[in-house]
Amino acid sequence: MDIINFIEQEFADLLTAKLFKLGESSVSIASIIELIVSLVIAIFISNLVSNLLKQRLLVKLGIDEGNREAIAVIVRYASTALGLIVVLQGIGFDLGSLAVVAGGLGVGIGFGVQDLTTNFVSGLTLLFDRPVKVGDYIEIENLSGTVKEISIRSTIIKTPDDSAVIVPNSAMIGNKIINWSYESSNCCLRIPVSVAEGSDPLKVTEALLNAAYMEAAVLYNPNPRVAFVGFGDDGFKFELVVWINQPHQRDFIKSALNYAIEYSFRQNKIEFPTNDRELWLRNAEVLMPIFNKVVENGQVKKTQETETTEIPVSQLSISEMLRQVVYFQNLNDIELRQLIEVGYRQRLQQSQILFRENDPGDAFYIVLEGAVEVYVEKINKHLVNLTAGKFLGELALMLGIPRTATVRALEETTVFAINKTGFQKLLSEHPELYEQIVQELAKHQEELTARQKQLREMGLVDATEDDQNPVNWVRKRLANLFSLSQVS
């Protein structure tokens, strides 16, 4: 016991032994450990309070994301600083002596941490002055993205390609910033368009406005406008001006508008300018001997034998395949493009299962390459082989019907798929497609009645959607499956 007591006493003396002095305060190993533990607790409490403010209290008060983040960061750093002061005083450190030491080292350290100090001050400016806040979509030095976090030292920007860029706060303050979300998230898109000479400006204006209203992301207020910019060498120059409230999607919205403009011009037989040029030759007689070589006795010689080869039938495009689906056959080019955009390609190895009997009907497929076999797995009964251009599962996707058979690849196969998530996104962004599909489904009432009966027997028809009229039932079922209750 004497040895143990001796060791304990020596260990206690070691912990409490004075290492050095800060002013009138003695520093020991025990005081350093106490300081570290107390600081960790203070920082933990500070972060806890900050997160509670940001995620609960300020949300209930209806404060927007940018203000919540700014308030939470300020509270976190302020409470951390206060905790540091309380901890130092609690363990007996004389803050006056620390101030003397800090003053002595301040000049030397100041030069070494000049950039850190600049970023710190810039961070405080961003948090208090708030020219930029979390959630804003900004552009700075050829970088664009959404502000995800503003700390004392740096700002994190999430770019459209999902990369996180850490920008020093001094750069945020010292450079010009385009804040697309300042006061409002509305931003203006200008799309230059040239048309052939002789085009009717009024017809062009109407076609451009029609194209603008085809895109769901374009705002109606302010309303789209068309400007006749001027006259070019080979046509008239126009500019379509629209407003959107999704600046982070502006590149994709521009692309969608370009598709819509091309489609609208094609429908209205408006032509884009061509680069045709007329060539006038002086002293054309100099070239006559060259042309005379290919002319003999009034007949034009064949300078090169041409082979007549039969042109093979080109493979159908996805849009052409979709048009073969009765429920999509009346969609226009823009609507088909939107349907194709929400889809994806899926590769299957030989014998790989695409889906099994009784799996949820959550996707529609078109065979692009290869072949698949449809069969009943329980009794190993072959039903049919589907090759390129064939489709399956369209009704299962739209009505949420479980799979009635198993499908596997007979060889290496590529299919085009539209799943429930993509189809729901399409219908929510373009509610007019919902009614078009309902009308097409209504033309096949016998099949709808059979499918409704099948689902009733399986107990998969919700009481809120059941209806003796199969058309009313399918309208309610689509709205229920794809969260389109707002669609009437």
Side-chain angles (χ1 to χ4, degrees):
M1 292 295 294
D2 292 339
I3 296 176
I4 295 175
N5 291 334
F6 174 76
I7 293 175
E8 289 178 348
Q9 184 61 43
E10 288 295 321
F11 184 68
D13 292 343
L14 176 64
L15 291 178
T16 57
K18 182 176 71 174
L19 300 177
F20 57 88
K21 293 189 67 176
L22 282 175
E24 299 299 324
S25 303
S26 298
V27 178
S28 64
I29 296 176
S31 63
I32 293 175
I33 294 174
E34 185 179 358
L35 174 64
I36 293 173
V37 172
S38 299
L39 281 177
V40 169
I41 295 173
I43 292 172
F44 173 78
I45 294 174
S46 173
N47 289 334
L48 181 63
V49 171
S50 174
N51 290 332
L52 285 174
L53 273 174
K54 181 172 64 174
Q55 297 173 7
R56 296 190 179 182
L57 180 60
L58 297 180
V59 172
K60 291 181 179 179
L61 294 176
I63 298 175
D64 64 82
E65 182 186 11
N67 286 323
R68 291 201 304 268
E69 186 70 25
I71 293 171
V73 170
I74 292 170
V75 168
R76 182 167 70 247
Y77 284 109
S79 57
T80 301
L82 180 62
L84 176 61
I85 293 172
V86 171
V87 166
L88 290 175
Q89 288 184 332
I91 62 176
F93 277 109
D94 183 3
L95 295 180
S97 61
L98 286 179
V100 172
V101 173
L105 297 175
V107 176
I109 295 176
F111 288 105
V113 295
Q114 184 176 3
D115 289 340
L116 183 62
T117 304
T118 303
N119 288 324
F120 178 82
V121 174
S122 299
L124 293 177
T125 303
L126 287 173
L127 290 171
F128 285 101
D129 194 29
R130 303 185 62 250
V132 172
K133 58 183 183 295
V134 171
D136 285 357
Y137 189 83
I138 66 171
E139 287 186 24
I140 175 173
E141 294 184 330
N142 297 322
L143 171 70
S144 61
T146 303
V147 177
K148 302 302 291 183
E149 182 182 338
I150 300 176
S151 65
I152 288 295
R153 191 188 67 82
S154 61
T155 297
I156 299 177
I157 298 174
K158 193 72 171 289
T159 63
D161 58 359
D162 274 345
S163 59
V165 181
I166 301 173
V167 180
N169 285 333
S170 57
M172 296 289 293
I173 293 296
N175 292 289
K176 292 181 179 179
I177 296 177
I178 299 176
N179 189 345
W180 291 101
S181 305
Y182 193 77
E183 293 184 349
S184 169
S185 60
N186 291 0
C187 71
C188 179
L189 291 184
R190 296 178 178 272
I191 301 180
V193 180
S194 296
V195 297
E197 288 183 359
S199 300
D200 183 350
L202 185 60
K203 193 174 182 180
V204 173
T205 299
E206 184 178 349
L208 287 173
L209 290 176
N210 288 340
Y213 286 116
M214 286 181 189
E215 174 52 44
V218 171
L219 300 178
Y220 281 37
N221 185 24
N223 59 297
R225 300 175 186 175
V226 175
F228 194 155
V229 177
F231 303 92
D233 294 336
D234 49 9
F236 302 151
K237 294 183 177 181
F238 290 81
E239 188 173 62
L240 175 62
V241 183
V242 300
W243 281 262
I244 61 174
N245 57 8
Q246 304 171 50
H248 59 288
Q249 291 289 334
R250 68 183 192 276
D251 289 339
F252 294 103
I253 295 172
K254 274 187 178 181
S255 172
L257 284 170
N258 285 332
Y259 276 111
I261 289 169
E262 190 279 330
Y263 173 76
S264 183
F265 278 18
R266 184 154 36 90
Q267 294 297 107
N268 289 277
K269 295 182 172 52
I270 298 172
E271 296 183 355
F272 293 98
T274 59
N275 293 322
D276 293 342
R277 294 289 185 269
E278 293 183 355
L279 182 63
W280 293 82
L281 299 176
R282 292 183 178 180
N283 302 322
E285 63 276 3
V286 177
L287 299 176
M288 290 303 295
I290 299 175
F291 292 108
N292 289 334
K293 289 181 180 180
V294 295
V295 178
E296 183 179 359
N297 298 326
Q299 298 292 327
V300 178
K301 289 184 178 180
K302 292 184 179 180
T303 57
Q304 182 178 0
E305 292 296 328
T306 58
E307 295 181 1
T308 58
T309 57
E310 185 178 348
I311 301 175
V313 178
S314 61
Q315 186 178 2
L316 290 176
S317 65
I318 293 178
S319 61
E320 290 169 329
M321 293 178 187
L322 286 171
R323 286 198 189 279
Q324 294 184 3
V325 182
V326 64
Y327 311 109
F328 305 141
Q329 63 184 1
N330 291 326
L331 300 184
N332 62 37
D333 289 359
I334 297 299
E335 292 162 342
L336 278 177
R337 182 188 67 81
Q338 292 160 349
L339 192 61
I340 292 170
E341 277 191 342
V342 300
Y344 59 93
R345 284 166 173 77
Q346 182 175 342
R347 295 187 181 277
L348 303 173
Q349 299 300 319
Q350 185 175 0
S351 299
Q352 183 177 344
I353 299 295
L354 181 60
F355 56 77
R356 295 185 182 277
E357 186 176 351
N358 295 323
D359 281 353
D362 55 3
F364 153 64
Y365 301 96
I366 297 177
V367 181
L368 298 181
E369 298 174 353
V372 297
E373 177 190 11
V374 184
Y375 68 102
V376 181
E377 191 171 10
K378 289 182 179 178
I379 59 177
N380 197 26
K381 180 182 178 181
H382 169 81
L383 297 179
V384 67
N385 291 342
L386 300 177
T387 55
K390 303 299 182 180
F391 51 87
L392 64 156
E394 72 284 355
L395 210 56
L397 168 64
M398 291 187 287
L399 298 182
I401 301 171
R403 307 295 186 185
T404 56
T406 299
V407 174
R408 66 183 169 197
L410 294 173
E411 55 188 272
E412 286 192 7
T413 301
T414 302
V415 297
F416 173 78
I418 299 175
N419 61 19
K420 182 178 178 181
T421 302
F423 199 61
Q424 179 174 357
K425 178 176 182 292
L426 179 68
L427 292 181
S428 62
E429 292 179 355
H430 304 277
E432 69 279 1
L433 294 182
Y434 162 81
E435 190 58 34
Q436 285 190 40
I437 291 172
V438 169
Q439 294 304 321
E440 288 298 330
L441 288 169
K443 296 176 182 178
H444 308 272
Q445 293 201 26
E446 290 185 5
E447 184 171 6
L448 287 182
T449 302
R451 295 294 187 176
Q452 186 181 18
K453 181 180 178 181
Q454 175 191 356
L455 289 172
R456 278 200 189 111
E457 293 172 351
M458 300 174 69
L460 297 178
V461 176
D462 193 280
T464 58
E465 70 185 35
D466 202 0
D467 198 298
Q468 294 302 317
N469 186 325
V471 178
N472 291 338
W473 166 72
V474 79
R475 181 178 280 109
K476 294 177 183 177
R477 181 141 183 103
L478 271 173
N480 188 29
L481 282 175
F482 298 103
S483 303
L484 302 171
S485 55
Q486 74 279 6
V487 181
S488 58

